[in-house]
Amino acid sequence: MPPPRRALLSSLLRLRACSSVAYHPPRPQPPPSRRHQFVADPNAAATTGRSGLSLGVGSNPLDPAQLLRDDPVSITASLWVSSFRAAAPGDAAPPPPPPSLAPFLTRLELWVLAYQKAYADETGSYLPRSSIPASTLASLLTLRNAVIDARFRFGNRLTPYLQSPRAGASPDPATLSKRKLRALLTTPGPAPFQDRVVQELLLLLLEPVYEARFSPKSFAFRPGRSPHAALRSIRRSWAPYLWYIRGDLSPLLDSPDPALVVGALIRDVRDKKVVDLIRSALLTPVVTARPGDDDASKKKKRKYQKKKVLPEGEPKPDPYWLQTFFGFAPEEALTQPDWGHCGVLSPLLANVCLDEFDKWMDEKIKEFYKPSKSDVVGGEDGIEQGNTSWPEFVPTSGPDKTRKVDYIRFGGHFLIGVRGPRADAAVIRKQLIEFCDQRFRIKLDNESLPIEHITKGIMFLDHVLCRRVVYPTLRYTATGGKIISEKGVGTLLSVTASLKQCIRQFRKLEFLKGDREPDPQPCFRMFHATQAHTNSQMNKLLMTMAEWYRYADNRKKVVNFCSYIIRGSLAKLYAAKYKLRSRAKVYKIASRNLSRPLKDKKGQSPEYTNLLRMGLVDSVDGLQYTRMSMVPDPDYTPLPSGWRPDHEKFLMEYIKLTDPQTVEEQRSCIREEGLITPQDQISMLVWSYKKNAVLLPSKECDDQGSIEDHDSDTDELNNKELGHGGHQGDHGHQGFSQPAKMS
């Protein structure tokens, strides 16, 4: 009788263990390795490096191709998931510390991903991982080793570990003379390419850690939290507030204190290598231009310069319409932090410093919250009620109503709303001045923190928060089933675009002059462009402006005004270019939206359809939004309660689905409903197949007799499948060979 299968397996494992203990083949001792190399363990079958990668015994630890084993996107995704899982709400205990970031510094896959991002910023094109040359991978490995061994210095132009992808952008210092070396070290210029790769790597590591810990009330320099999200958040939940405090902490973004930044950083990140890298980026001086350098360059500048031809690898500048739209940036978005050699890491570090202010404001929101049972805004349980179907509706106020405070921040600018007496706003302002003086060393006073009433209009992100009276039609069913319609009255929170601010921006861009009666000015920067190209550029600008004012109540009015200014500017440009003397003649030939072609010869232009049919002219698109009815309506879609960006929503859903407790709750709910999961259904089918296959007789035994009853041989069947002994007769051998015959 053959032994059971489990017994055979146990004996084989015991025999293999005894043989491995009895004999050890001689192995050569590896040479002493450096700290950053993957060290081969003589007592293991595979080597494991500092990063956790397993390398074969015969592999080369300095070969970049053998270190690129995992997907870098998967590595960063795991860091995002672990950070959000650690900071997930629901636990009363404080969030645990974030995972250690030092092992991620040794992952060459992340260095390659950081190189790809820096390459895209440098050249304007994406470089696939398979297209990276072997010499670049070797240089990345050298840069990684220099960072781990603390030999890397920001702003070091004499020791380039990694060359820029653009040819001639960074010459080899070994081939330069002393005069050129002195000019290289003293002349200001862009940061070395290797610095940007290190900055991108630090951003990949730090962003998931802090995005899981940042306050949901900050909306600047963060993925998925745009100015539109801030405006929609205000429209949804800021209707009850009467008093507002506007503040500006931009001095902190202009000239940061390195000790303050590092102190805020080490509260969540305890990895010494990461903190030392950021400290050196903050403390390393940046080469700036001397006072007389600009004057000398202006004297050498020629009056007539040849048109510059961009090199093949150099990215093209932004188009004119995009540069013009950047001129409409609101005041809150004008200040972009740029701290020393931090580069793209500066906005994240600014939010790290200001996160302490966000936490302080969260405590003040809880401190000043005094609910009232007779108010729809909040109850004793602290749950926000309000008008869920009409969140912009302003509830009634009074001394017996709920008192509360809310707060929102965009970059260095913040807005505080107070529902209650003005004395509460004065107390918050006093405490705010003391906190900023002690923590950030920023001197604020009552003039820099004005307390304004909602009736005066509050300017934030180039939009005015105010109240407007509406007269809706109320329909209800009275007694007897009669439907009654009558006019009502109510007050809504209005978020409107500032037309004065729009005029001010157009005047700064030299599109118009005058205040009371704006007069469009010709746009001479498009003088040498064709009519089709000029109209196309301005249409892109108008579409972008319409999208920027998407959530403004006066979207139609302000976008139509922008179209009027741009159309008048182009009409004056075409009048000067084609010598038509006035805008009226331009409109007469080119129509109202400037869609018909203009010619510089005397006489009227031939029919546009004939020229277009013969292919002699380009298709000229008319200007959009020339009439107010053509402008899209404002978007009043309410922001959902507890809104999160899409990537955070997906992360939280993934964490919830991978939680064992959630899976067990779903299984118990399915069992209570009497349902069955697809996995259980497949398991039942497989088990039924195995059971029937074992009990079916083979063809050789069909003439000898019939099979036994299913119910009487269930125990014997289980023993045969598990290998627990029992009678190993002919039926057992025939049963196990039957599935092979059936297949």
Side-chain angles (χ1 to χ4, degrees):
M1 182 175 63
R5 282 182 292 174
R6 285 191 176 180
L8 284 174
L9 183 61
S10 301
S11 60
L12 287 175
L13 292 176
R14 194 179 301 109
L15 180 62
R16 182 178 180 181
C18 294
S19 62
S20 62
V21 172
Y23 174 70
H24 285 287
R27 296 183 180 179
Q29 293 294 332
S33 60
R34 300 172 61 178
R35 295 168 54 193
H36 56 269
Q37 293 181 357
F38 294 91
V39 184
D41 188 3
N43 298 325
T47 60
T48 303
R50 294 169 56 90
S51 63
L53 288 175
S54 297
L55 301 177
V57 175
S59 60
N60 184 9
L62 296 180
D63 185 9
Q66 297 184 5
L67 301 181
L68 299 175
R69 298 200 172 189
D70 297 335
D71 184 17
V73 179
S74 301
I75 299 174
T76 53
S78 64
L79 184 58
W80 278 88
V81 171
S82 60
S83 301
F84 272 81
R85 182 181 283 117
D91 298 332
S100 177
L101 301 179
F104 290 95
L105 285 176
T106 60
R107 302 300 297 265
L108 188 61
E109 299 93 339
L110 296 181
W111 285 91
V112 172
L113 182 59
Y115 175 81
Q116 289 175 312
K117 296 180 67 176
Y119 183 93
D121 293 338
E122 181 78 5
T123 62
S125 60
Y126 174 74
L127 179 67
R129 178 174 170 179
S130 58
S131 301
I132 301 178
S135 59
T136 303
L137 293 177
S139 300
L140 277 174
L141 186 61
T142 305
L143 178 61
R144 186 204 69 168
N145 298 340
V147 170
I148 295 177
D149 292 342
R151 293 182 286 107
F152 173 78
R153 295 293 182 269
F154 283 97
N156 187 4
R157 302 181 182 181
L158 297 180
T159 311
Y161 299 101
L162 182 65
Q163 295 291 339
S164 175
R166 288 195 297 171
S170 53
D172 188 6
T175 60
L176 299 179
S177 61
K178 293 183 179 180
R179 181 179 60 84
K180 292 184 178 181
L181 278 177
R182 189 181 301 108
L184 180 65
L185 297 177
T186 58
T187 304
F193 182 74
Q194 60 186 12
D195 291 8
R196 280 176 278 175
V197 174
V198 177
Q199 294 163 6
E200 291 286 355
L201 177 70
L202 293 176
L203 183 63
L204 287 174
L205 300 182
L206 293 178
E207 190 175 30
V209 173
Y210 282 104
E211 280 295 324
R213 286 168 163 75
F214 280 158
S215 171
K217 299 184 182 299
S218 62
F219 287 87
F221 315 134
R222 299 182 59 185
R225 297 182 180 270
S226 61
H228 281 170
L231 293 173
R232 296 181 67 190
S233 177
I234 291 175
R235 183 190 290 278
R236 172 178 174 79
S237 58
W238 285 60
Y241 301 107
L242 294 174
W243 304 99
Y244 289 83
I245 304 175
R246 287 189 303 164
D248 184 10
L249 300 178
S250 297
L252 180 64
L253 306 183
D254 298 334
S255 56
D257 184 6
L260 177 64
V261 177
V262 175
L265 188 69
I266 61 177
R267 285 197 299 267
D268 296 319
V269 177
R270 301 299 178 88
D271 295 278
K272 187 176 183 301
K273 291 184 180 298
V274 177
V275 176
D276 290 345
L277 277 174
I278 298 177
R279 182 186 288 111
S280 63
L282 291 170
L283 296 178
T284 303
V286 180
V287 179
T288 57
R290 290 175 292 182
D293 292 347
D294 295 340
D295 300 337
S297 61
K298 289 181 180 179
K299 293 180 181 179
K300 293 181 180 180
K301 187 176 180 181
R302 297 180 180 179
K303 185 176 182 181
Y304 301 102
Q305 287 187 344
K306 195 175 182 180
K307 189 174 181 180
K308 181 181 178 182
V309 179
L310 296 176
E312 183 179 356
E314 185 175 354
K316 296 181 180 180
D318 294 329
Y320 175 69
W321 71 269
L322 190 58
Q323 297 178 9
T324 306
F325 177 71
F326 287 159
F328 282 85
E331 180 186 1
E332 291 80 4
L334 285 178
T335 305
Q336 181 78 12
D338 188 8
W339 296 351
H341 294 277
C342 293
V344 296
L345 202 61
S346 302
L348 177 64
L349 296 179
N351 274 331
V352 170
C353 295
L354 293 174
D355 184 63
E356 185 176 356
F357 180 68
D358 299 339
K359 299 295 191 296
W360 182 81
M361 280 303 308
D362 290 340
E363 296 177 359
K364 295 303 172 183
I365 290 175
K366 298 177 181 178
E367 178 184 344
F368 281 85
Y369 181 66
K370 299 178 182 179
S372 175
K373 293 183 179 180
S374 61
D375 197 358
V376 297
V377 176
E380 292 292 342
D381 53 357
I383 300 177
E384 298 290 336
Q385 303 290 336
N387 194 337
T388 56
S389 60
W390 204 353
E392 301 92 349
F393 179 74
V394 177
T396 57
S397 59
D400 58 338
K401 302 299 181 181
T402 300
R403 296 185 181 183
K404 57 182 301 188
V405 176
D406 207 345
Y407 157 80
I408 194 171
R409 179 177 63 83
F410 191 90
H413 298 257
F414 62 88
L415 183 66
I416 301 175
V418 180
R419 186 175 193 243
R422 191 181 185 276
D424 291 352
V427 172
I428 293 177
R429 180 174 63 178
K430 181 179 179 181
Q431 297 178 359
L432 179 61
I433 292 174
E434 296 176 356
F435 175 81
C436 292
D437 186 16
Q438 296 175 0
R439 190 67 188 92
F440 300 134
R441 301 174 185 175
I442 298 178
K443 300 296 182 180
L444 300 177
D445 52 12
N446 294 343
E447 294 182 1
S448 59
L449 296 174
I451 300 177
E452 300 174 338
H453 197 266
I454 185 62
T455 54
K456 294 185 178 180
I458 312 300
M459 176 76 72
F460 191 71
L461 290 174
D462 281 357
H463 288 67
V464 180
L465 311 181
C466 57
R467 290 182 177 181
R468 58 188 176 95
V469 180
V470 295
Y471 300 93
T473 301
L474 306 178
R475 294 182 177 88
Y476 58 92
T477 304
T479 56
K482 185 179 180 181
I483 299 178
I484 299 178
S485 299
E486 59 181 16
K487 287 287 185 179
V489 61
T491 308
L492 294 181
L493 176 67
S494 177
V495 180
T496 61
S498 175
L499 196 58
K500 293 183 179 179
Q501 184 69 13
C502 184
I503 294 174
R504 190 178 301 114
Q505 299 290 358
F506 269 123
R507 191 187 307 112
K508 184 176 66 174
L509 295 172
E510 298 180 355
F511 269 88
L512 58 82
K513 64 178 181 179
D515 294 333
R516 296 184 179 180
E517 296 181 359
D519 184 20
Q521 297 298 303
C523 176
F524 284 114
R525 286 191 60 180
M526 304 294 293
F527 186 83
H528 296 285
T530 62
Q531 181 183 355
H533 180 70
T534 303
N535 286 10
S536 174
Q537 292 279 304
M538 292 306 163
N539 275 335
K540 292 179 181 179
L541 173 61
L542 285 174
M543 293 173 62
T544 313
M545 296 290 293
E547 181 64 24
W548 166 240
Y549 294 116
R550 178 178 180 178
Y551 299 99
D553 293 343
N554 59 342
R555 181 188 188 184
K556 285 180 171 291
K557 180 180 179 180
V558 68
V559 174
N560 184 254
F561 173 77
C562 295
S563 177
Y564 162 73
I565 295 297
I566 293 176
R567 185 167 59 94
S569 175
L570 292 185
K572 286 191 174 183
L573 171 67
Y574 294 151
K577 182 177 180 180
Y578 298 109
K579 302 178 181 179
L580 297 176
R581 297 184 180 180
S582 64
R583 286 186 289 176
K585 291 186 178 181
V586 174
Y587 292 141
K588 183 178 180 180
I589 300 175
S591 73
R592 177 186 177 89
N593 59 354
L594 305 177
S595 60
R596 297 174 63 87
L598 296 164
K599 293 190 67 177
D600 54 349
K601 294 183 180 180
K602 293 184 179 180
Q604 294 186 353
S605 171
E607 289 296 333
Y608 170 67
T609 55
N610 296 333
L611 292 175
L612 184 61
R613 179 170 48 84
M614 292 184 293
L616 299 178
V617 294
D618 296 331
S619 176
V620 180
D621 297 330
L623 288 182
Q624 297 184 356
Y625 312 133
T626 55
R627 299 186 184 276
M628 191 175 293
S629 59
M630 301 170 62
V631 182
D633 295 329
D635 189 355
Y636 292 108
T637 306
L639 196 68
S641 179
W643 174 85
R644 281 177 175 268
D646 291 340
H647 68 282
E648 293 186 12
K649 192 186 305 180
F650 297 152
L651 280 171
M652 300 306 296
E653 188 69 19
Y654 175 79
I655 292 171
K656 182 179 179 181
L657 292 177
T658 54
D659 187 10
Q661 183 179 358
T662 303
V663 177
E664 186 61 30
E665 291 177 358
Q666 292 178 351
R667 289 180 177 176
S668 61
C669 181
I670 290 174
R671 286 194 297 267
E672 292 176 0
E673 296 292 336
L675 303 176
I676 185 172
T677 61
Q679 293 83 353
D680 294 340
Q681 180 69 21
I682 294 175
S683 300
M684 293 174 62
L685 291 175
V686 172
W687 172 251
S688 178
Y689 168 76
K690 292 173 64 177
K691 182 175 67 173
N692 295 334
V694 168
L695 294 180
L696 284 177
S698 60
K699 294 182 179 180
E700 292 81 0
C701 299
D702 287 344
D703 300 335
Q704 299 177 4
S706 60
I707 61 174
E708 299 180 1
D709 186 72
H710 291 193
D711 298 333
S712 60
D713 290 346
T714 304
D715 297 336
E716 184 179 356
L717 171 66
N718 295 336
N719 293 333
K720 290 178 181 180
E721 291 186 349
L722 297 176
H724 287 179
H727 298 286
Q728 302 290 338
D730 296 335
H731 291 288
H733 292 289
Q734 294 170 0
F736 281 102
S737 62
Q738 186 67 21
K741 295 180 180 180
M742 294 178 63
S743 62

